[in-house]
Amino acid sequence: MVENCIFCRIVNHEIPAKIIYEDDQVVAFHDISPKAPVHVLIIPKKHIPTLAHVQEEDLPLIAHIHKVVLQLQQELGLQNGFRLIANCDKGGGQEVFHLHYHMLGGGKIEAFPE
Ligand code: AMP
Ligand code: ZN
């Protein structure tokens, strides 16, 4: 838990989010400003600031996130496919510095990042 991290606060249920999946390692919830008919964020409960901060010991967690993505593909009706994006650091357009994957699909995907 990192103070003032909005996604840590969602993990801790301190602020509301439309959570669609949760287990001991991961939370997934709808993006507050969707760029596609389906736009969810998949985040580790562990506070990892960016993709570049992923350590060797985190790789099982990253693999688990990918498994969750494939489960959500079925549950969200994205059998036709989807886009998975991880913006890394300021140069990649990252605004929230808690690792997250955007999962987008279900129709037109807006230009992203803007
Ligand atoms: P990024 O630019 O990759 O850091 O994306 C951050 C994403 O988090 C944006 O798509 C925001 O719309 C989304 N976001 C920010 N605050 C919240 C929140 N409280 N609940 C859900 N999504 C959020
Ligand atoms: Zn955090």
Side-chain angles (χ1 to χ4, degrees):
M1 169 73 187
V2 167
E3 290 297 324
N4 298 324
C5 172
I6 194 160
F7 286 178
C8 281
R9 297 187 71 193
I10 287 175
V11 166
N12 284 340
H13 299 231
E14 288 174 17
I15 59 169
K18 291 183 186 168
I19 293 175
I20 58 167
Y21 178 86
E22 179 168 7
D23 63 27
D24 58 327
Q25 299 176 74
V26 169
V27 179
F29 51 94
H30 289 281
D31 196 291
I32 206 166
S33 177
K35 306 284 192 299
V38 175
H39 185 175
V40 301
L41 302 174
I42 302 100
I43 73 170
K45 288 189 168 178
K46 178 180 179 183
H47 181 89
I48 301 172
T50 81
L51 203 56
H53 292 81
V54 171
Q55 304 293 310
E56 184 90 24
E57 71 202 32
D58 298 319
L59 293 179
L61 171 60
I62 301 302
H64 179 64
I65 289 173
H66 279 235
K67 271 180 70 176
V68 170
V69 164
L70 295 181
Q71 182 182 324
L72 291 177
Q73 178 185 14
Q74 301 305 315
E75 293 176 6
L76 294 168
L78 299 176
Q79 284 80 2
N80 281 344
F82 59 90
R83 186 174 298 170
L84 192 66
I85 297 175
N87 297 322
C88 181
D89 220 328
K90 287 182 183 142
Q94 187 175 359
E95 291 178 352
V96 177
F97 284 79
H98 179 129
L99 178 64
H100 54 279
Y101 291 84
H102 298 258
M103 187 174 187
L104 301 122
K108 184 170 165 32
I109 300 172
E110 284 177 36
F112 187 84
E114 289 159 18

